[in-house]
């Protein structure tokens, strides 16, 4: 068992599976071997086997809180939230202070929209573990997700500050603290948070980018590749954050609905590029129009999630603007949901998109709204850029596009408020048009 667990921890899954198998040959009901082999099967996308094995383990050791919690995790990651909730509650009935079961229970309640119950569980976790940075961090994130008034942001900032004090290694808490301080108008404190983080971890692109977002350094022309990879690989690796991030997220739906109005009846006849495809949320929406659907993204972690969905003919790990330049006249549609807001200067990427489209092809993208009549772009505290309408119109013209349709819709909720976005559609005109 020791060797099997060590192999499992190191990610040597073939070896671990073989060793658990050997243990079970000698003792078919070995509860730990059944339990861990179940977790491993789920990791290898054999979740039904995983659930069956952990249940067998629990028959032998029905009071094993870790096994109930892990069974809950498998259900949660299969989208079976009610089953997951029941497992976490069973874990807590046997071990009321089980950290993971408490935070997992709060999460599945939150994702099911049972916000008050989720808040009670986060509060219970915090009351039980006041010295645990993670308990403060999770409470802060909960407050931030459900902001109603400015006091909630202040409370979230207090939670993040406690989390950083109790656990200086918690980089997510540091990031969240910087954003909350900036939101509260305490930008010099936010700058301090990012400078301190940079001093502790000089190679990390996140504090570098966020320092610029808080006005502590000049903004780069676009988010650096290493920043984008780090942030999105991190999201993709954390299933829970993905779940929560997508709670009020609707850029793919809004963008594709506007686009398909122009495309007419789906005939599976178009070559479509999903530019910055992320986990592939646009794939199933645009799929009926596509004869060939390709996704491109910088983040290998996000692409892996898109691959698992199975909607794309091809997925490419590359920087968007550079890659588009190498594909002249290849696409009938280039769509990009919530991705060009990682570009401050839009000209290189929109020119490349113009080059990559065929005559008559459609370019469709979202950006975040910067109010005002002037031609302006701003890197905001979220780490994303916001563009004014005049800026988008000018860059589209410089990139060779004319007559864009630019409408406003809500793309997501942040700090309790809708984030307004531009939904931009423009067609590449032929030389005779
Ligand atoms: C917020 S996600 C949106 C993903 C997807 N379009 C959706 O709506 O769900 C932004 C994506 O853009 C990608 N991205 C940002 N800048 C990029 C660049 N320069 N080249 C390629 N991908 C980029 C990120 O890796 C991330 O997956």
């Amino acid at each position: 068992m020791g060797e099997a667990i060590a192999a499992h921890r190191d990610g040597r899954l073939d070896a671990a599976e073989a060793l658990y198998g050997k243990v079970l040959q000698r003792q078919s009901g070995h509860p730990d071997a059944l339990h861990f082999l179940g977790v491993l099967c789920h990791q290898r996308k054999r979740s039904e086997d995983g659930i069956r094995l952990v249940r067998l383990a629990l028959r032998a050791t029905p009071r094993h809180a870790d096994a109930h919690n892990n069974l809950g995790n498998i259900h949660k990651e299969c989208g079976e939230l009610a089953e997951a909730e029941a497992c976490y509650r069973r874990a807590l009935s046997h071990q009321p202070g089980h950290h993971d079961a408490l935070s997992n229970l709060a999460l599945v309640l939150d994702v099911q929209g049972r916000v008050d119950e989720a808040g009670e569980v986060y509060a219970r976790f915090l009351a039980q573990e006041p010295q645990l940075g993670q308990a403060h961090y999770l409470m802060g994130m909960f407050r931030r997700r459900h902001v109603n008034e400015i006091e909630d942001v202040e409370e979230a900032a207090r939670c993040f500050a406690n989390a950083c004090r109790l656990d200086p290694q918690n980089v997510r808490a540091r990031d969240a603290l910087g954003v909350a301080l900036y939101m509260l108008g305490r930008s010099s404190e936010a700058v301090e948070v990012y400078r301190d983080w940079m001093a502790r971890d000089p190679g990390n692109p996140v504090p570098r980018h966020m320092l610029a977002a808080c006005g502590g350094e000049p903004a780069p022309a676009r988010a650096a590749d290493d920043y984008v990879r780090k942030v999105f690989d991190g999201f993709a690796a954390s299933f829970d954050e993905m779940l929560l991030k997508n709670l009020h997220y609707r850029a793919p739906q809004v963008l594709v609905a506007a686009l398909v109005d122009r495309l007419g009846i789906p005939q599976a006849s178009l070559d479509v590029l999903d530019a910055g495809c992320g986990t592939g949320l646009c794939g199933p929406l645009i799929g009926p129009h596509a004869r060939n659907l390709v996704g491109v993204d910088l983040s290998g972690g996000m692409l892996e999630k898109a691959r698992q969905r199975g909607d794309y003919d091809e997925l490419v790990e590359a920087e968007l603007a550079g890659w588009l330049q190498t594909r002249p006249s290849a696409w009938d549609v280039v769509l990009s949901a919530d991705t060009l807001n990682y570009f401050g200067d839009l000209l290189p990427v929109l020119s490349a998109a113009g080059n990559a489209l065929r005559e008559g092809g459609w370019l469709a993208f979202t950006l975040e709204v910067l109010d005002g009549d002037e031609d302006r772009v701003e890197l905001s505290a979220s780490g994303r850029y916001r563009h004014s309408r005049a800026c988008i119109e000018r860059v589209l013209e410089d990139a060779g596009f004319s007559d864009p349709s630019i409408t406003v819709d809500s793309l997501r909720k942040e700090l309790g408020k809708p984030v307004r976005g531009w939904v931009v559609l423009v067609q590449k005109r032929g030389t005779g048009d």
Side-chain angles (χ1 to χ4, degrees):
M1 270 308 284
E3 275 176 48
I5 290 170
H8 197 169
R9 281 219 179 100
D10 291 350
R12 291 181 284 117
L13 298 187
D14 285 339
E17 185 163 0
L19 288 161
Y20 289 134
K22 268 192 185 171
V23 175
L24 290 168
Q25 266 171 12
R26 290 197 196 161
Q27 190 185 333
S28 61
H30 193 296
D32 283 343
L34 287 168
H35 170 194
F36 295 140
L37 182 58
V39 171
L40 186 147
C41 284
H42 168 63
Q43 286 173 302
R44 308 196 107 178
K45 318 285 174 237
R46 296 177 348 236
S47 301
E48 278 181 23
D49 288 343
I51 289 173
R52 187 178 49 77
L53 288 164
V54 183
R55 284 206 180 124
L56 277 176
L58 279 166
R59 262 198 224 156
T61 54
R63 302 177 62 78
H64 195 319
D66 282 344
H68 284 293
N69 180 62
N70 282 334
L71 184 57
N73 288 343
I74 299 178
H75 282 301
K76 177 181 69 179
E77 290 177 20
C78 293
E80 297 157 0
L81 299 182
E83 287 86 347
E85 178 187 337
C87 292
Y88 298 136
R89 289 195 188 280
R90 276 196 284 276
L92 290 166
S93 72
H94 300 302
Q95 191 177 327
H98 196 286
H99 289 182
D100 288 346
L102 273 171
S103 57
N104 287 325
L105 174 61
L107 175 99
V108 294
L109 291 170
D110 201 356
V111 174
Q112 292 177 91
R114 290 153 64 189
V115 177
D116 291 343
E117 290 171 77
E120 281 164 23
V121 178
Y122 283 120
R124 187 167 128 206
F125 189 19
L126 197 50
Q128 228 169 262
E129 298 292 346
Q131 295 307 317
L132 189 71
Q134 182 68 359
H136 290 269
Y137 169 69
L138 292 176
M139 181 55 119
M141 291 304 282
F142 172 72
R143 289 283 169 123
R144 195 173 101 166
R145 279 195 297 281
H146 301 290
V147 164
N148 288 317
E149 43 209 331
I150 195 73
E151 286 73 25
D152 294 324
V153 186
E154 278 163 6
E155 184 52 36
R158 266 193 293 278
C159 291
F160 296 139
N162 283 334
C164 293
R165 182 176 47 77
L166 292 165
D167 178 7
Q169 304 307 323
N170 186 342
V171 290
R172 282 162 193 254
R174 225 162 258 283
D175 193 8
L177 175 61
V179 172
L181 289 170
Y182 188 79
M183 292 290 171
L184 291 166
R186 292 156 62 185
S187 38
S188 55
E189 287 173 72
V191 164
E192 274 321 298
V193 168
Y194 291 117
R195 281 204 204 289
D196 175 51
W197 182 5
M198 260 176 86
R200 287 167 192 265
D201 188 2
N204 192 329
V206 177
R208 192 187 341 119
H209 182 82
M210 293 309 292
L211 189 58
C214 292
E217 291 288 335
R222 68 172 172 83
D225 294 1
D226 56 354
Y227 167 78
V228 170
R229 271 198 210 98
K230 182 130 189 139
V231 167
F232 286 97
D233 282 353
F235 266 136
S238 164
F239 182 82
D240 294 354
E241 291 194 28
M242 254 357 270
L243 261 187
L244 293 168
K245 183 173 179 272
N246 287 333
L247 266 188
H248 301 285
Y249 177 60
R250 53 197 293 274
Q253 288 78 1
V254 167
L255 181 66
V256 177
L259 175 65
V260 298
D261 259 4
R262 309 293 177 113
L263 297 180
I265 299 164
Q267 290 179 336
S269 56
L270 304 174
D271 291 329
V272 178
L273 178 70
D274 185 355
C277 61
T279 57
L281 295 178
C282 291
L285 307 176
I286 194 66
H289 289 267
R291 113 180 122 189
N292 185 33
L293 177 59
V294 176
V296 59
D297 202 286
L298 260 175
S299 158
M302 296 293 260
L303 286 168
E304 185 48 41
K305 297 276 168 191
R307 193 162 288 124
Q308 286 165 19
R309 284 175 193 269
D311 295 309
Y312 292 81
D313 297 298
E314 193 188 345
L315 288 160
V316 182
E317 186 174 333
E319 197 286 310
L320 181 55
W323 189 78
L324 276 169
Q325 246 151 8
T326 63
R327 300 285 180 291
S329 303
W331 310 103
D332 302 303
V333 171
V334 173
L335 83 152
S336 187
D338 207 37
T339 296
L340 299 192
N341 41 13
Y342 291 90
F343 292 73
D345 178 4
L346 292 168
L347 187 58
V349 68
L350 292 185
S351 304
N355 179 50
L357 277 170
R358 295 183 182 130
E359 283 186 9
W362 283 96
L363 172 63
F365 58 91
T366 62
L367 286 169
E368 285 177 29
V369 171
L370 180 61
D371 286 316
D373 295 333
E374 320 86 78
D375 177 344
R376 274 196 335 116
V377 54
E378 176 183 287
L379 178 57
S380 71
S382 61
R384 301 185 298 268
Y385 294 84
R386 295 193 294 205
H387 299 79
S388 69
R389 179 190 281 266
C391 169
I392 300 167
E393 285 171 346
R394 192 248 316 150
V395 180
L396 278 172
E397 198 179 322
D398 291 351
F401 291 99
S402 55
D403 284 333
S405 148
I406 305 182
T407 51
V408 178
D409 211 323
S410 158
L411 301 182
R412 63 156 67 73
K413 266 189 164 178
E414 212 161 65
L415 297 171
K417 293 199 196 105
V419 173
R420 284 175 311 132
W422 304 117
V423 179
V424 183
L425 294 180
V426 67
Q427 200 167 14
K428 178 169 172 174
R429 307 266 177 218
T431 37
D433 292 344

